[in-house]
Coordinates of all heavy atoms in Angstrom, one line a residue:
E232 N -9.4 -13.5 -1.8 CA -8.7 -14.1 -0.7 C -7.2 -13.6 -0.7 O -6.5 -13.7 -1.7 CB -8.7 -15.5 -0.8 CG -8.9 -16.2 0.5 CD -9.0 -17.7 0.2 OE1 -9.7 -18.2 -0.8 OE2 -8.4 -18.5 1.0
A233 N -6.8 -13.0 0.4 CA -5.5 -12.4 0.4 C -4.3 -13.4 0.8 O -3.5 -13.0 1.7 CB -5.4 -11.1 1.3
D234 N -4.3 -14.5 0.1 CA -3.2 -15.5 0.5 C -2.0 -15.4 -0.5 O -1.2 -16.2 -0.4 CB -3.8 -16.9 0.7 CG -4.5 -17.3 -0.7 OD1 -4.7 -16.5 -1.6 OD2 -4.8 -18.5 -0.8
R235 N -2.2 -14.5 -1.6 CA -1.2 -14.4 -2.6 C -0.7 -13.1 -3.1 O -0.2 -12.8 -4.1 CB -1.7 -15.2 -3.8 CG -3.2 -14.9 -4.0 CD -3.8 -15.7 -5.0 NE -3.8 -17.2 -4.7 CZ -4.2 -18.1 -5.6 NH1 -4.5 -17.8 -6.9 NH2 -4.1 -19.4 -5.3
F236 N -1.1 -12.1 -2.2 CA -0.7 -10.8 -2.4 C -0.9 -10.0 -1.1 O -1.3 -10.6 -0.1 CB -1.6 -10.0 -3.4 CG -3.1 -10.2 -3.3 CD1 -3.7 -9.4 -2.4 CD2 -3.8 -11.1 -4.0 CE1 -5.2 -9.5 -2.2 CE2 -5.2 -11.2 -3.7 CZ -5.8 -10.4 -2.9
L237 N -0.5 -8.8 -1.0 CA -0.4 -8.0 0.2 C -1.9 -7.9 0.9 O -2.9 -7.5 0.2 CB 0.1 -6.6 0.0 CG 0.5 -5.9 1.3 CD1 1.9 -6.4 1.8 CD2 0.7 -4.4 1.0
N238 N -2.1 -8.4 2.1 CA -3.4 -8.4 2.9 C -3.3 -7.0 3.4 O -3.0 -6.8 4.6 CB -3.5 -9.6 4.0 CG -4.8 -9.5 4.6 OD1 -5.6 -8.8 4.3 ND2 -4.7 -10.4 5.7
G239 N -3.8 -6.1 2.8 CA -3.7 -4.7 3.3 C -4.3 -4.4 4.6 O -5.4 -5.0 4.9
L240 N -3.7 -3.5 5.3 CA -4.3 -3.2 6.7 C -5.6 -2.5 6.5 O -6.5 -2.6 7.3 CB -3.2 -2.4 7.4 CG -2.0 -3.1 7.9 CD1 -1.0 -2.2 8.4 CD2 -2.3 -4.2 9.0
T241 N -5.8 -1.7 5.5 CA -7.0 -0.9 5.1 C -8.1 -2.0 4.7 O -9.2 -1.9 5.2 CB -6.9 0.0 4.0 OG1 -5.6 0.7 4.2 CG2 -7.9 1.0 3.8
R242 N -7.6 -3.0 4.0 CA -8.5 -4.0 3.6 C -9.1 -4.7 4.8 O -10.3 -4.9 5.0 CB -7.8 -5.2 2.8 CG -8.6 -6.4 2.4 CD -7.6 -7.4 1.7 NE -8.4 -8.6 1.3 CZ -8.7 -9.7 2.1 NH1 -8.2 -9.6 3.4 NH2 -9.2 -10.6 1.7
Q243 N -8.2 -5.1 5.8 CA -8.7 -5.8 7.1 C -9.5 -4.9 7.7 O -10.6 -5.3 8.4 CB -7.4 -6.2 7.9 CG -6.6 -7.1 7.2 CD -5.2 -7.4 7.9 OE1 -5.2 -7.5 9.2 NE2 -4.2 -7.4 7.2
T244 N -9.3 -3.5 7.8 CA -10.2 -2.5 8.6 C -11.6 -2.5 8.0 O -12.6 -2.5 8.6 CB -9.4 -1.1 8.5 OG1 -8.2 -1.3 9.0 CG2 -10.2 -0.2 9.4
V245 N -11.6 -2.5 6.6 CA -12.8 -2.2 5.9 C -13.7 -3.5 6.0 O -14.9 -3.5 6.3 CB -12.7 -1.9 4.4 CG1 -14.0 -2.2 3.6 CG2 -12.2 -0.5 4.2
I246 N -13.0 -4.7 6.1 CA -13.8 -5.9 6.3 C -14.4 -5.9 7.8 O -15.6 -6.2 7.9 CB -12.9 -7.2 6.2 CG1 -12.5 -7.4 4.7 CG2 -13.5 -8.5 6.9 CD1 -11.5 -8.5 4.4

Side-chain angles (χ1 to χ4, degrees):
E232 213 176 322
D234 58 350
R235 41 187 62 190
F236 51 79
L237 199 71
N238 182 8
L240 292 167
T241 318
R242 176 186 182 278
Q243 295 170 44
T244 305
V245 166
I246 290 174

